[in-house]
Amino acid sequence: MSPVVEVHARARLITDGPLTRPVPVDLRYDPADERRTVHIGLPDGTDWAFGRDLLERGLRTPIERGAVRVWPCGRTQLIVELHSTDGVEVFQFEIRTLTRFLARTRAQAPATPPDADREPQPPSRTTTTTTTRPERGAQPARG
């Protein structure tokens, strides 16, 4: 069994005000998940899950799948726009952070290629009831 790839990163939350603010995010990939899904965990406990290919394509060209839009912003930034019934959240990531994360996910991915005729998984959003982040190095509870 390959280990889960988890990266604690920073993104900038883009608001309609004049300032952006840095926020901690967790990037996660479990190679045992046959759908090749990546997760972006936000500080409020919200977890967005969508196909790894969405991030990979978004590094080069604008792409949209369901409630998630991804596009490059200049040569060093990537924008991830997340739509929900609560509104829209827009995050700006350093491309190099996502490139390193995606390289680690490819290194951990199973050797078998994904089914060519399989439809990409639609994005999903879940929210946990806690609003605190686990201590660095702490193992998430499995249930």
Side-chain angles (χ1 to χ4, degrees):
M1 184 167 122
S2 300
V4 171
V5 176
E6 188 164 7
V7 173
H8 302 288
R10 282 213 168 298
R12 296 200 71 74
L13 177 62
I14 309 297
T15 65
D16 33 349
L19 300 176
T20 63
R21 71 173 206 260
V23 294
V25 295
D26 293 317
L27 305 172
R28 186 172 182 278
Y29 174 77
D30 185 349
D33 183 353
E34 66 185 44
R35 296 171 301 187
R36 313 247 188 315
T37 302
V38 294
H39 296 261
I40 296 179
L42 304 177
D44 66 357
T46 302
D47 180 80
W48 282 86
F50 48 88
R52 180 177 66 187
D53 66 309
L54 191 62
L55 278 184
E56 290 171 334
R57 288 181 179 176
L59 290 170
R60 296 181 306 277
T61 186
I63 185 168
E64 177 180 353
R65 187 172 301 142
V68 178
R69 295 181 181 140
V70 182
W71 67 91
C73 180
R75 293 178 7 180
T76 61
Q77 305 293 317
L78 182 83
I79 304 297
V80 177
E81 182 178 289
L82 307 168
H83 293 253
S84 72
T85 56
D86 297 331
V88 178
E89 292 178 295
V90 180
F91 295 91
Q92 182 178 17
F93 287 87
E94 293 286 330
I95 284 180
R96 68 177 176 221
T97 300
L98 293 176
T99 300
R100 284 187 208 132
F101 170 70
L102 290 169
R104 289 182 59 197
T105 68
R106 284 189 296 275
Q108 294 298 330
T112 57
D115 296 338
D117 58 349
R118 181 185 297 170
E119 284 293 314
Q121 282 296 111
S124 64
R125 175 182 183 254
T126 57
T127 305
T128 59
T129 55
T130 61
T131 57
T132 58
R133 293 172 52 88
E135 294 291 321
R136 287 207 184 247
Q139 296 296 319
R142 303 273 183 198

